[in-house]
């Protein structure tokens, strides 16, 4: 009865209220569409490696009597690689969901970013396997207020993307510098670059410029979505400059007042 009185009084007399109600519905529909998209994406991303795993396992089972030991090892190795992809996807989904639940669960602490960027450089060198020239320019020694684990995951994501999207022989430069009231972590590469129309969508979950290439290099399509959340929890912003065929520059900027002097 209460609801009925409400509807009867509001709808005919107030245009504003009607607008409000219809906005609410479209917002609800949008959320529902996003949820459907998300479930479809996750299912698709999981199904691809799973199909490969079952394919290889079946090959091994069927050929157990005839296959040479090294063939069996080869097929099982490929299956295990795909299982690793699924693990990474689940790990990224859990990270993203923890980041999206809102308020950070950590207390701000001074993070030694100078050490962190040195660690990230070393990780990039390992992933590159000597196929790129990787340089580090670190000129800020004051710690930054925040969370070391989250910052490490965001900074490593950007550096490893540079390795993955830069052909052999390319050059990658990582830097941690202050510019007036802003402190910046930058990763520049002279890799494949990104066309302007893709740039605004790169931080969407599962958005990739080239699905095939991202998969080949072990991407989940969630990396930049994670980076964006981590930065916003640190009052940071992500700037992306890129040109196809010339390379990309990803900059994470933070207010310099977050530095602990
Ligand atoms: P992925 O796991 O696919 O790399 P990300 O969210 O990290 O997912 O990145 C989204 C997309 O942005 C990638 O699929 C790729 O197309 C593009 N991208 C990211 N970093 C670079 C880069 N340094 N150079 C070129 N393209 C990049």
């Amino acid at each position: 009865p209460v609801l009925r009185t409400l509807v009867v009084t509001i709808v005919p007399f107030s245009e504003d209220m009607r607008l409000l109600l219809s906005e609410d519905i479209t917002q609800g529909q949008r959320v529902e569409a996003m949820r459907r998209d998300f479930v479809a994406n996750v299912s698709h991303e999981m199904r691809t490696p799973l199909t490969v795993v079952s394919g290889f396992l079946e090959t091994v089972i069927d050929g157990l009597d005839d296959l040479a030991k090294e063939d069996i090892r080869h097929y099982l190795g490929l299956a295990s690689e795909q299982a690793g992809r699924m693990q990474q996807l689940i790990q990224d989904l859990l990270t993203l969901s923890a980041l999206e639940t809102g308020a950070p669960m950590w207390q701000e602490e001074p993070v030694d970013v100078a050490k962190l960027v040195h660690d990230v450089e070393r990780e990039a060198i390992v992933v590159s396997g000597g196929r790129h020239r990787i340089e580090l320019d670190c000129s800020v020694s004051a710690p930054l207020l925040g969370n070391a684990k989250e910052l490490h995951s965001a900074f490593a994501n950007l550096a490893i993307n540079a390795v993955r999207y830069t052909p052999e022989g390319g050059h990658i430069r990582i830097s941690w510098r202050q510019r007036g009231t802003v402190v910046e972590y930058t990763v520049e590469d002279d890799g494949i670059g990104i066309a302007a129309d893709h740039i605004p969508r790169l931080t969407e979950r599962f958005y990739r410029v080239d699905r095939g290439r991202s998969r080949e290099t072990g991407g989940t399509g969630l990396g930049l979505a994670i980076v964006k959340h981590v930065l916003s929890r640190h009052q940071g912003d992500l700037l992306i400059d890129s040109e196809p065929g010339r390379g990309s520059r990803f900059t994470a900027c933070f207010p310099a007042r977050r530095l602990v002097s």
Side-chain angles (χ1 to χ4, degrees):
V2 176
L3 194 70
R4 214 158 151 175
T5 331
L6 245 158
V7 173
V8 170
T9 35
I10 289 170
V11 175
F13 296 116
S14 162
E15 194 58 37
D16 282 359
M17 278 294 178
R18 199 151 52 194
L19 221 72
L20 212 72
L21 282 175
S22 83
E23 260 176 20
D24 239 28
I25 292 164
T26 43
Q27 169 76 0
Q29 284 169 340
R30 222 179 7 247
V31 169
E32 179 56 21
M34 274 169 65
R35 195 193 61 79
R36 266 201 312 269
D37 266 8
F38 181 67
V39 172
N41 273 325
V42 173
S43 317
H44 177 79
E45 295 297 329
M46 289 297 277
R47 197 164 52 200
T48 313
L50 201 52
T51 309
V52 181
V53 170
S54 16
F56 287 134
L57 291 181
E58 271 164 36
T59 311
V60 171
I61 292 168
D62 292 346
L64 213 51
D65 296 328
D66 317 312
L67 283 171
K69 211 169 173 181
E70 59 267 30
D71 289 336
I72 294 181
R73 196 191 308 277
H74 175 67
Y75 288 127
L76 292 181
L78 292 171
S80 152
E81 210 174 273
Q82 294 298 318
R85 282 189 55 79
M86 287 191 280
Q87 246 162 2
Q88 182 63 50
L89 180 66
I90 289 167
Q91 185 54 51
D92 282 358
L93 281 168
L94 289 173
T95 306
L96 201 55
S97 122
L99 289 169
E100 281 176 344
T101 48
M105 299 292 285
W106 36 264
Q107 289 279 327
E108 266 178 6
E109 58 190 10
V111 178
D112 185 351
V113 177
K115 176 182 176 296
L116 192 149
V117 295
H118 278 90
D119 292 346
V120 166
E121 182 207 16
R122 267 200 300 277
E123 283 164 45
I125 292 172
V126 171
V127 175
S128 154
R131 287 175 292 119
H132 306 87
R133 185 154 57 91
I134 300 178
E135 268 184 297
L136 175 65
D137 161 17
C138 174
S139 58
V140 180
S141 54
L144 184 81
L145 280 182
N147 177 268
K149 219 169 133 207
E150 288 192 4
L151 288 171
H152 180 270
S153 116
F155 288 7
N157 246 303
L158 296 176
I160 288 167
N161 272 352
V163 172
R164 291 169 48 223
Y165 298 104
T166 300
E168 186 162 351
H171 180 200
I172 293 157
R173 189 181 171 84
I174 301 171
S175 58
W176 177 236
R177 284 177 307 208
Q178 182 168 358
R179 268 178 208 274
T181 57
V182 171
V183 57
E184 294 179 343
Y185 169 79
T186 308
V187 179
E188 281 169 280
D189 65 59
D190 55 5
I192 61 173
I194 307 156
D197 50 333
H198 291 291
I199 293 180
R201 300 197 57 193
L202 292 181
T203 56
E204 286 175 23
R205 295 184 290 201
F206 296 115
Y207 190 84
R208 289 130 153 176
V209 177
D210 176 349
R211 216 162 248 279
R213 181 170 181 121
S214 157
R215 280 229 188 79
E216 253 169 50
T217 56
T220 61
L222 296 173
L224 292 179
I226 293 175
V227 170
K228 189 182 126 189
H229 278 286
V230 168
L231 297 189
S232 80
R233 281 149 81 100
H234 289 81
Q235 297 173 297
D237 255 329
L238 181 65
L239 308 177
I240 307 173
D241 292 304
S242 190
E243 213 181 302
R246 297 194 67 119
S248 312
R249 181 169 62 225
F250 286 76
T251 309
C253 327
F254 307 89
R257 64 186 141 76
R258 293 186 71 90
L259 290 174
V260 186
S261 45

